[in-house]
């Protein structure tokens, strides 16, 4: 059995100047610690806490409970329960014209349950999560201009799952690597039962890479489902179409020594020249090219 305790103390002093006339400042003292208990070689548990004294806001105690159980050499079960708190930043409160001085801190309750499987060439991890957030700070486009402003949403429920997959295989001088992340998220304003703006339900990306001797080539993909752009209005007219973009790249290692290397490479972004948006009225670049030279020593 093993029991140990870690602690920390932190002090942060933040100062700013608005329009060369108004001075703003914030002092924050935080103290915390974590008890780690390992009753066996297969089980790890921890309890942590954090308390902040902030000159501008009253911050409650944050707590976290976590456990990790190895069921066998390849399979692990993980869980975590926590309370969280976030004070609005100076940019969110005081940014000229678009800042919101009336913002209040957000706090949340979070629960996670995850699994992890690993062997020589393959890795798979999954996570289920639920987050209940009070007074969530979110940036939304202004109705009268094209600028964005932060505001509080009283109650937000956020739940979903994450999946990570990785595979690698080497045959003589040939290596293949594949990795992919998928996130399923339902983020809703619980008061109006509407999806949050710019919060995709599905998000998927992957990277497929092949290398042999001095050459490496790879294909990347990003998929994002449609998002709504107008607060509390979930209709297709106020939404952005799904995004599905590919990138392709190739690199050649000119110099490969023990302590140094020189690599030249090229990359084609938006390989199929798709028209897509991550933000309303702001189209992303079409097909474009990048050339890079990297020297490590």
């Amino acid at each position: 059995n093993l029991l140990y305790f870690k602690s920390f103390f932190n002090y942060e002093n933040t100062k700013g100047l608005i329009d060369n006339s108004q001075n703003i400042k914030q002092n924050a003292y935080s103290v915390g610690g974590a008890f780690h208990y390992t009753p066996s070689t297969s089980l790890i548990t921890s309890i942590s806490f954090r308390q902040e004294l902030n000159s501008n806001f009253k911050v409650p105690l944050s707590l976290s409970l976590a456990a990790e159980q190895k069921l066998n050499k390849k399979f692990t079960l993980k869980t975590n329960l926590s309370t969280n708190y976030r004070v609005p930043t100076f940019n969110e409160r005081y940014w000229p014209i678009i800042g919101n001085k009336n913002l209040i801190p957000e706090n949340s309750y979070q629960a996670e349950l995850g699994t992890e499987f690993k062997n020589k060439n393959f890795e798979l991890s999954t996570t289920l999560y639920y987050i209940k957030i009070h007074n969530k700070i979110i940036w939304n486009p202004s109705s009268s201009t094209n600028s964005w402003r932060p505001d509080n949403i009283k109650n937000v429920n956020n739940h979903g799952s994450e999946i990570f997959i990785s595979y690698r295989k080497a045959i003589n001088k040939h290596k293949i690597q594949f990795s992919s992340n998928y996130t399923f998220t339902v983020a809703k304003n619980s008061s109006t039962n509407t999806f949050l703006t710019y919060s995709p339900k599905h998000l998927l990306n992957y990277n497929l890479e092949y290398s042999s001797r001095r050459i490496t080539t790879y294909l990347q993909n990003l998929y994002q489902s449609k998002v709504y752009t107008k607060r509390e209005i979930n209709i297709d007219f106020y939404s952005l179409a799904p995004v599905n973009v590919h990138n392709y790249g190739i690199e050649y290692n000119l110099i490969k020594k023990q302590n140094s290397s020189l690599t030249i490479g090229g990359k084609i972004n938006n390989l199929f020249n798709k028209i897509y948006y991550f933000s309303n009225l702001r189209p992303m670049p079409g097909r474009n090219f990048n050339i890079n030279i990297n020297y490590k020593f």
Side-chain angles (χ1 to χ4, degrees):
N1 294 355
L2 178 63
L3 173 65
Y4 65 93
F5 175 74
K6 287 184 176 181
S7 62
F8 71 87
F9 173 79
N10 184 62
Y11 168 68
E12 183 177 317
N13 174 262
T14 308
K15 295 181 179 180
L17 182 64
I18 304 176
D19 297 330
N20 296 319
S21 59
Q22 181 183 357
N23 289 305
I24 53 175
K25 63 180 180 179
Q26 178 174 280
N27 292 310
Y29 303 84
S30 57
V31 61
F35 290 93
H36 297 269
Y37 179 52
T38 308
S40 67
T41 57
S42 62
L43 177 62
I44 301 173
T45 63
S46 67
I47 301 176
S48 61
F49 67 92
R50 182 178 185 273
Q51 179 64 67
E52 179 179 314
L53 298 176
N54 191 292
S55 59
N56 295 330
F57 300 98
K58 184 178 180 180
V59 181
L61 179 69
S62 296
L63 297 171
S64 175
L65 304 174
E68 181 177 312
Q69 174 70 60
K70 286 188 176 181
L71 301 181
N72 53 47
K73 292 183 179 180
K74 297 180 180 180
F75 194 78
T76 303
L77 185 66
K78 300 179 180 181
T79 186
N80 181 71
L81 300 172
S82 64
T83 62
N84 306 283
Y85 192 86
R86 188 174 84 82
V87 170
T89 65
F90 272 19
N91 280 347
E92 290 170 333
R93 296 175 64 199
Y94 300 113
W95 192 275
I97 302 176
I98 62 174
N100 185 351
K101 296 180 181 180
N102 297 319
L103 288 175
I104 57 178
E106 63 181 33
N107 60 84
S108 65
Y109 305 91
Q110 181 170 340
E112 291 184 1
L113 178 63
T115 61
E116 186 177 272
F117 176 85
K118 286 184 179 180
N119 65 13
K120 183 178 179 181
N121 298 319
F122 180 75
E123 179 180 346
L124 171 64
S125 63
T126 63
T127 304
L128 299 175
Y129 62 89
Y130 175 81
I131 309 172
K132 187 175 183 63
I133 310 171
H134 299 289
N135 301 314
K136 180 175 176 61
I137 300 171
I138 187 169
W139 288 75
N140 277 305
S142 173
S143 58
S144 57
T145 67
N146 199 29
S147 61
W148 292 54
R149 294 200 71 214
D151 199 4
N152 288 109
I153 297 181
K154 188 172 181 60
N155 292 301
V156 170
N157 286 330
N158 192 334
H159 67 271
S161 60
E162 297 179 358
I163 300 174
F164 171 76
I165 298 175
S166 175
Y167 177 79
R168 59 186 66 86
K169 183 70 174 179
I171 303 175
N172 298 325
K173 300 291 184 178
H174 305 277
K175 295 180 181 179
I176 296 176
Q177 296 186 63
F178 174 81
S179 62
S180 178
N181 284 283
Y182 169 71
T183 303
F184 171 76
T185 303
V186 177
K188 282 190 171 184
N189 182 336
S190 57
S191 301
T192 60
N193 197 34
T194 54
F195 290 98
L196 299 187
T197 56
Y198 295 95
S199 179
K201 183 180 287 188
H202 304 281
L203 189 63
L204 172 69
N205 66 74
Y206 72 77
N207 184 81
L208 177 61
E209 179 179 300
Y210 166 78
S211 60
S212 177
R213 300 182 186 275
R214 294 176 179 267
I215 296 178
T216 299
T217 183
Y218 56 89
L219 178 67
Q220 301 170 334
N221 172 251
L222 170 66
Y223 171 80
Q224 174 184 288
S225 61
K226 77 174 181 180
V227 296
Y228 297 106
T229 62
K230 199 169 184 65
R231 184 171 173 174
E232 299 174 7
I233 300 179
N234 289 170
I235 60 176
D236 287 343
F237 183 79
Y238 295 114
S239 70
L240 298 180
V243 172
N244 190 15
V245 180
H246 294 78
N247 305 322
Y248 173 77
I250 187 169
E251 296 179 349
Y252 183 77
N253 200 309
L254 295 171
I255 300 175
K256 191 174 183 180
K257 297 181 179 179
Q258 184 175 357
N259 298 320
S260 64
S261 66
L262 176 62
T263 303
I264 183 171
K267 186 179 181 182
I268 306 174
N269 297 306
N270 194 358
L271 180 63
F272 299 110
N273 202 29
K274 295 281 189 176
I275 298 175
Y276 68 102
Y277 298 76
F278 285 124
S279 179
N280 198 28
L281 303 178
R282 297 179 180 178
M284 297 300 292
R287 185 185 296 116
N288 60 94
F289 305 88
N290 177 269
I291 297 175
N292 61 82
I293 299 175
N294 296 315
Y295 178 61
K296 297 181 180 179
F297 57 93

